[in-house]
Amino acid sequence: MAVEAGAGEQLPFRVAFDPERGQLVLMVTVGMPPRQRVTTQVICSAEDAACQVTLQRHEARLRGQLADMIAEAAVRHLGVDPHRLEAAVAALSDPASSVPASSILHGERGVDHPAPIGPPGL
């Protein structure tokens, strides 16, 4: 099976092509060790691929909307500074970051006021 996408990257999924069967194979790692498992789905046709792309993009859009709603609620109801929230999100998203999110959110340990990096309007 020839790997096409996701190989060598630190992603919980990959897409491979099975030349013998002429189909794509989607492998998704679900959960955390020790209960981690890999699910496999076969994509047999262009139509099936189009449906999967549509589904994944729709779910990504919904998750993005959910993230925006959580951020808005945190600012409105928890009094979180929107710039600090976006800076903390960026730090949590960066595997090389060693700054605790709480330090960014609360201005501890020399993290004064990070520059705005998130979506406008927060």
Side-chain angles (χ1 to χ4, degrees):
M1 201 174 308
V3 175
E4 295 215 348
E9 298 179 38
Q10 294 287 326
L11 299 173
F13 52 84
R14 67 185 183 128
V15 178
F17 177 67
D18 183 344
E20 291 180 16
R21 294 190 172 104
Q23 59 193 21
L24 300 174
V25 180
L26 169 63
M27 292 158 274
V28 179
T29 303
V30 180
M32 300 294 289
R35 295 183 180 179
Q36 195 171 53
R37 62 186 174 89
V38 176
T39 62
T40 303
Q41 182 173 1
V42 176
I43 300 171
C44 301
S45 67
E47 293 81 6
D48 194 15
C51 289
Q52 285 300 317
V53 169
T54 301
L55 175 66
Q56 296 304 322
R57 287 184 180 164
H58 178 70
E59 288 181 4
R61 185 178 58 80
L62 291 176
R63 288 187 184 275
Q65 288 176 336
L66 175 59
D68 291 344
M69 289 174 69
I70 293 169
E72 183 180 322
V75 169
R76 181 177 298 137
H77 301 293
L78 301 178
V80 176
D81 178 278
H83 301 298
R84 290 185 183 277
L85 176 63
E86 289 302 323
V89 168
L92 289 168
S93 299
D94 179 2
S97 176
S98 61
V99 180
S102 62
S103 296
I104 297 169
L105 290 167
H106 303 293
E108 301 165 2
R109 297 186 193 166
V111 181
D112 291 329
H113 192 58
I117 58 171
L122 277 183

